[in-house]
């Protein structure tokens, strides 16, 4: 009986170690707009975008189907991307703008949070509160700040 228990415990720990190893292999490291190195899942299927302009960039990438929560302002916003993607307003609310609510973001089970600059909090604070990788992108106006725009699109694409 003791041998059986030891064998089962050894098997349990071996499986747990394999799961942990697989989870680290299924991530990639990217540099965000602040130069932070962020580990994100290799195959992202659930995202949120917080602060002004973040959802606009997600819509540019046609990633709205991946969005699992929106800031409250998106429910009444009249922005071009809201007309192009009316389903945005049907997504669950993750809190007010700017930054949403950490508990509601966690409830959404997002795998990645896309974040534009805000004076309210830092991306590191939100990442620590939620346990979800926060990737910073920059707002910018095409033609005037094209480098920022293209960099943000590249970051989201990765």
């Amino acid at each position: 009986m003791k041998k059986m228990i030891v064998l089962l415990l050894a098997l349990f720990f071996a499986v747990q170690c394999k799961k942990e190893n697989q989870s680290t292999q299924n991530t990639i490291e990217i540099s965000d707009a602040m130069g932070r190195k962020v580990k994100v899942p290799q195959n992202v299927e659930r995202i949120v975008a917080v602060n002004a302009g973040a959802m606009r960039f997600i819509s540019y990438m046609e990633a709205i189907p991946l969005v699992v929560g929106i800031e409250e302002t998106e429910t009444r916003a009249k922005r071009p991307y809201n007309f192009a993607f009316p389903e945005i307003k049907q997504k669950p609310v993750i809190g007010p703008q700017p930054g949403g609510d950490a508990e509601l973001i966690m409830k959404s089970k997002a795998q990645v949070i896309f974040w534009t600059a805000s004076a309210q909090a830092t991306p590191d604070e939100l990442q620590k509160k939620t346990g979800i990788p926060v990737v910073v992108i920059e707002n910018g106006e095409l033609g005037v700040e094209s480098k920022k725009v293209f960099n943000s699109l590249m970051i989201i694409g990765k």
Side-chain angles (χ1 to χ4, degrees), residues 58-116:
I58 297 304
S59 73
Y60 290 165
M61 297 298 289
E62 295 187 6
I64 297 301
L66 302 178
V67 174
V68 294
I70 59 169
E71 291 177 309
E72 191 273 331
T73 54
E74 298 295 347
T75 62
R76 61 182 188 279
K78 294 181 179 172
R79 298 179 180 113
Y81 61 83
N82 291 101
F83 294 110
F85 301 99
E87 65 271 21
I88 289 174
K89 293 182 180 188
Q90 306 306 313
K91 307 278 184 176
V93 173
I94 56 161
Q97 188 178 29
D101 176 273
E103 287 183 29
L104 292 174
I105 292 171
M106 288 187 305
K107 186 178 176 183
S108 76
K109 297 187 175 145
Q111 296 170 287
V112 175
I113 301 167
F114 288 99
W115 187 90
T116 53

Side-chain angles (χ1 to χ4, degrees), residues 35-156:
R36 298 164 57 248
K37 302 290 186 202
V38 184
K39 287 189 178 191
V40 300
Q42 201 167 24
N43 296 311
V44 176
E45 297 175 354
R46 300 176 62 83
I47 64 173
V48 296
V50 298
N51 298 330
M55 190 65 72
R56 175 172 54 102
F57 280 94
I58 297 304
S59 73
Y60 290 165
M61 297 298 289
E62 295 187 6
I64 297 301
L66 302 178
V67 174
V68 294
I70 59 169
E71 291 177 309
E72 191 273 331
T73 54
E74 298 295 347
T75 62
R76 61 182 188 279
K78 294 181 179 172
R79 298 179 180 113
Y81 61 83
N82 291 101
F83 294 110
F85 301 99
E87 65 271 21
I88 289 174
K89 293 182 180 188
Q90 306 306 313
K91 307 278 184 176
V93 173
I94 56 161
Q97 188 178 29
D101 176 273
E103 287 183 29
L104 292 174
I105 292 171
M106 288 187 305
K107 186 178 176 183
S108 76
K109 297 187 175 145
Q111 296 170 287
V112 175
I113 301 167
F114 288 99
W115 187 90
T116 53
S118 166
Q120 302 295 92
T122 68
D124 293 325
E125 288 172 11
L126 184 58
Q127 187 167 310
K128 185 177 179 182
K129 285 181 183 178
T130 62
I132 300 169
V134 176
V135 176
V136 178
I137 57 176
E138 291 182 285
N139 269 320
E141 187 178 328
L142 194 58
V144 179
E145 300 171 300
S146 295
K147 189 173 182 180
K148 284 183 181 181
V149 171
F150 293 138
N151 187 47
S152 291
L153 294 175
M154 292 295 291
I155 290 168
I156 294 167

